[in-house]
């Protein structure tokens, strides 16, 4: 069994994991950079270790320091949260070599899904529908031939991709050379790997993803979908479960395809299988072998704590529920509160002079922010997540409107005003939006 977990992350997710550990009676160790000495996850953990200066490379991404912190504190497991080391196969192997449990999938599965070309091939072999595209890597010399075969418009994507980087659309043969060259150089700069592949560019899809959890022995469940179509620059802003676009039969069908694939793989841990959904068809784009930022909306509609499940399966205890026992109840929406200008999305670090979190039935705020907290400029700008649950989508939206009015964060700019706009928009009220909706809306309503 796991008795002490070191949380190799910061911010709201470190707090999220810490809460789950406390509920399970597991001791916690926070690690932090010198910039985060006053952070909430550090204050609430049973023990904490400073692992380096502010830049992530020298602290949160420093594997030696994290392993040393485990040795010093006697932590027998590490939860990586999301981002940072959560999808680093080498990290999982190093922990394993030190007899420390990695709360996540096997290094082999992280690798398999980390490379998008291999992931796509694997998904296809496991019976998951994929976006039509190239068989593997595309080189500048054969790009035109491949694009003609797929049919324009096409999307060039980095095989090591993430966060929407290294992704370029080519609408016709005239744009192709430049799109391939830019995608390759962006990919090389961001991931140290310039390999790219090509997909059919879908014109009006929704982004729908399926949450799965596997026990590593061939049992796996799905917890329905999340609709994350509201994005800007391929980054999710607002997520909902269930998707306004799916009915129960569609949900259970695609969910089962994913759970069956995970059973075949003997997947261990939580994971998300991401799809684009257009004209009634699902197309796999990637699998994330970790907890997602937006996991709380799934927790809201199922009542299942995904971090508890992660810890259970990592310790070999199996899943706490069977597929038949899972009940989907009501509707949940998550708003990502970033310390950013709500229009330009330019980061706005600084000191929070006033902070009041909303409450009441069906409201969850996951945040490490507090009055007087100084947001360091070194990390991503997510400072909190607002999750609202209602018995129906309408109730959920009405509650969200009330809650957004109540939330006070002063001293910095945040994305809260954007959500106040969205909650009053007719398309959003109708659930009628695709992955391009938000960018179009922002362009149309530019001040
Ligand atoms: P990343 O790992 O960089 O986030 P993904 O493959 O998950 O990349 O894609 C991110 C987003 O890019 C998707 O949610 C979608 O908005 C857009 N996208 C990806 N593939 C396609 C495609 N074939 N056609 C249209 N849009 C796409």
């Amino acid at each position: 069994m796991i008795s002490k977990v070191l949380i190799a992350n910061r911010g709201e997710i470190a707090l999220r994991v810490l809460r789950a550990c406390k509920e399970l009676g597991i001791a916690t160790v926070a690690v932090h950079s010198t910039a985060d000495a006053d952070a909430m996850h550090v204050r609430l953990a049973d023990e904490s270790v400073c692992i380096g200066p502010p830049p992530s490379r020298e602290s949160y991404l420093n594997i030696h320091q994290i392993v040393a912190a485990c040795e010093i504190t006697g932590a027998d497991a590490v939860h990586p949260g999301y981002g940072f080391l959560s999808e680093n196969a080498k990290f999982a192997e190093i922990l394993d070599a030190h007899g420390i449990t990695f709360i996540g999938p096997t290094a082999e599965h992280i690798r398999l899904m980390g490379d998008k070309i291999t992931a796509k091939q694997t998904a296809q072999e496991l019976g998951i529908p994929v976006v039509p595209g190239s068989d593997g890597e595309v080189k500048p010399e054969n790009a035109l031939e491949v694009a003609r075969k797929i049919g324009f418009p096409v999307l060039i994507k980095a095989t090591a991709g993430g966060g929407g980087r290294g992704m370029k659309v080519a609408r016709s043969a005239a744009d192709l050379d430049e799109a391939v060259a830019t995608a390759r150089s962006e990919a090389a700069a961001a991931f140290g790997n310039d390999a790219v592949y090509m997909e059919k560019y879908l014109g009006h899809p929704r982004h729908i993803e399926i949450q799965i959890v596997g026990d590593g022995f061939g049992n796996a469940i799905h917890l329905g979908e999340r609709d994350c179509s509201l994005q800007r620059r391929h980054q999710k802003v607002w997520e909902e479960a269930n998707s306004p676009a799916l009915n129960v039969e569609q949900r259970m069908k695609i969910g089962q395809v994913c759970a069956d694939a995970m059973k075949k793989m003997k997947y261990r841990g939580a994971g998300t299988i991401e799809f684009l959904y257009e004209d009634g068809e699902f197309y796999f784009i990637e699998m994330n072998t970790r907890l997602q930022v937006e996991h709380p909306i799934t927790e809201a509609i199922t009542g299942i704590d995904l971090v508890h499940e992660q810890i259970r399966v990592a310790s070999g205890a199996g899943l706490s529920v069977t597929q038949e026992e899972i009940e989907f109840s009501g509707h949940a929406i998550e708003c990502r509160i970033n310390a950013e200008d709500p229009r330009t999305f330019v980061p706005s670090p600084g000191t929070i002079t006033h902070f009041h979190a909303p409450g009441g039935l069906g409201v969850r705020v996951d945040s490490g922010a507090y009055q007087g907290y100084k947001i360091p400029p070194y990390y991503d700008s997510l400072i909190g997540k607002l999750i609202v649950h209602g018995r129906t989508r309408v109730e959920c939206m009405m509650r969200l409107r009330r809650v957004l009015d109540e939330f006070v964060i002063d001293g910095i700019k945040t994305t809260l005003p954007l959500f106040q706009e969205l909650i009053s928009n007719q398309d959003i009220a109708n659930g009628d939006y695709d992955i391009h909706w938000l960018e179009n809306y922002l362009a149309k309503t530019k001040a």
Side-chain angles (χ1 to χ4, degrees):
M1 285 313 281
I2 291 170
S3 58
K4 193 188 263 193
V5 170
L6 181 141
I7 303 159
N9 216 303
R10 63 180 300 281
E12 68 85 21
I13 193 59
L15 210 52
R16 162 74 192 89
V17 172
L18 190 142
R19 287 174 172 147
C21 292
K22 292 210 170 191
E23 286 173 11
L24 295 173
I26 296 172
T28 52
V29 179
V31 291
H32 65 92
S33 70
T34 49
D36 279 340
D38 286 337
M40 215 56 191
H41 75 278
V42 179
R43 295 189 191 186
L44 291 182
D46 297 314
E47 291 169 76
S48 65
V49 181
C50 180
I51 50 164
S56 303
R57 296 238 145 262
E58 296 170 49
S59 50
Y60 296 104
L61 288 169
N62 186 328
I63 294 178
H64 299 299
Q65 290 287 61
I66 290 169
V67 173
C70 288
E71 302 281 352
I72 293 165
T73 56
D76 53 2
V78 170
H79 194 301
Y82 52 69
F84 292 134
L85 298 169
S86 60
E87 291 178 291
N88 185 317
K90 202 171 129 220
F91 181 54
E93 279 166 354
I94 291 172
L95 290 180
D96 203 37
H98 284 79
I100 301 163
T101 302
F102 176 71
I103 301 175
T106 60
E108 185 200 345
H109 285 161
I110 297 174
R111 262 197 200 106
L112 197 62
M113 293 300 171
D115 178 276
K116 291 191 167 192
I117 293 177
T118 323
K120 222 173 144 181
Q121 282 160 353
T122 309
Q124 211 161 4
E125 283 160 22
L126 291 169
I128 299 176
V130 303
V131 191
S134 59
D135 294 324
E137 193 182 340
V138 168
K139 296 277 189 197
E141 326 59 277
N142 65 356
L144 186 60
E145 186 193 329
V146 179
R148 288 227 162 98
K149 221 181 269 169
I150 299 169
F152 284 99
V154 293
L155 189 64
I156 324 297
K157 296 172 86 170
T159 176
R165 282 170 300 176
M167 209 184 287
K168 289 282 165 266
V169 186
R171 304 218 167 256
S172 67
D175 312 335
L176 190 65
D177 286 351
E178 198 189 323
V180 172
T182 329
R184 280 166 62 95
S185 62
E186 260 185 46
F191 315 110
N193 174 356
D194 68 358
V196 295
Y197 64 108
M198 205 183 285
E199 269 177 7
K200 176 149 200 60
Y201 180 72
L202 301 172
H204 56 94
R206 298 181 81 109
H207 174 116
I208 295 183
E209 56 185 37
I210 307 293
Q211 176 70 56
I212 56 88
V213 192
D215 69 357
F217 304 113
N219 296 310
I221 52 170
H222 75 85
L223 291 100
E225 85 282 12
R226 294 183 287 261
D227 193 319
C228 312
S229 303
L230 289 176
Q231 308 178 349
R232 51 114 210 157
R233 284 191 225 123
H234 305 302
Q235 300 277 0
K236 300 160 188 168
V237 170
W238 153 307
E239 302 100 352
E240 29 188 323
N242 307 309
S243 168
L246 295 193
N247 61 34
V248 180
E249 288 73 40
Q250 288 168 311
R251 166 168 318 117
M252 296 315 274
K253 193 171 160 204
I254 189 69
Q256 201 54 53
V257 167
C258 293
D260 288 346
M262 294 303 107
K263 285 178 191 169
K264 277 189 222 157
M265 272 177 85
K266 292 199 166 56
Y267 185 80
R268 183 190 70 210
T272 297
I273 305 182
E274 297 194 336
F275 294 94
L276 294 178
Y277 176 76
E278 188 170 271
D279 301 333
E281 299 290 336
F282 285 95
Y283 302 100
F284 170 89
I285 46 173
E286 67 165 339
M287 175 169 179
N288 293 324
T289 52
R290 56 169 166 83
L291 198 65
Q292 306 264 108
V293 176
E294 60 274 19
H295 76 277
I297 52 175
T298 300
E299 297 183 325
I301 62 161
T302 60
I304 294 167
D305 186 307
L306 284 165
V307 180
H308 284 189
E309 295 304 312
Q310 285 188 300
I311 294 172
R312 282 182 65 99
V313 298
S315 65
L319 296 160
S320 75
V321 282
T322 62
Q323 190 69 55
E324 293 67 37
E325 286 165 350
I326 298 169
E327 284 176 30
F328 296 96
S329 160
H331 195 89
I333 296 176
E334 174 181 279
C335 298
R336 294 195 189 194
I337 303 167
N338 292 344
E340 288 173 356
D341 181 286
R343 277 280 142 181
T344 61
F345 302 99
V346 171
S348 170
T351 302
I352 297 177
T353 53
H354 204 89
F355 186 88
H356 170 77
L361 180 64
V363 180
R364 168 173 172 181
V365 177
D366 277 19
S367 174
Y370 54 87
Q371 190 161 322
Y373 176 61
K374 192 160 180 265
I375 300 162
Y378 311 102
Y379 312 108
D380 79 43
S381 54
L382 183 78
I383 53 164
K385 304 185 308 204
L386 172 62
I387 303 102
V388 174
H389 182 240
R391 287 173 302 171
T392 60
R393 186 167 187 267
V394 171
E395 187 177 279
C396 183
M397 295 277 281
M398 284 164 61
R399 183 160 288 150
L400 180 55
R401 180 190 299 275
R402 183 270 290 173
V403 166
L404 285 167
D405 277 346
E406 219 173 292
F407 214 143
V408 180
I409 306 176
D410 286 341
I412 53 156
K413 289 181 186 171
T414 75
T415 44
L416 280 171
L418 173 66
F419 298 117
Q420 275 173 319
E421 279 179 50
L422 295 181
I423 197 77
S424 302
N425 183 281
Q426 198 54 50
D427 288 344
I428 303 295
N430 297 339
D432 185 13
Y433 54 81
D434 62 20
I435 60 168
H436 306 297
W437 188 94
L438 184 59
E439 299 263 3
N440 290 339
Y441 170 81
L442 292 169
K444 255 191 333 223
T445 55
K446 220 177 195 161

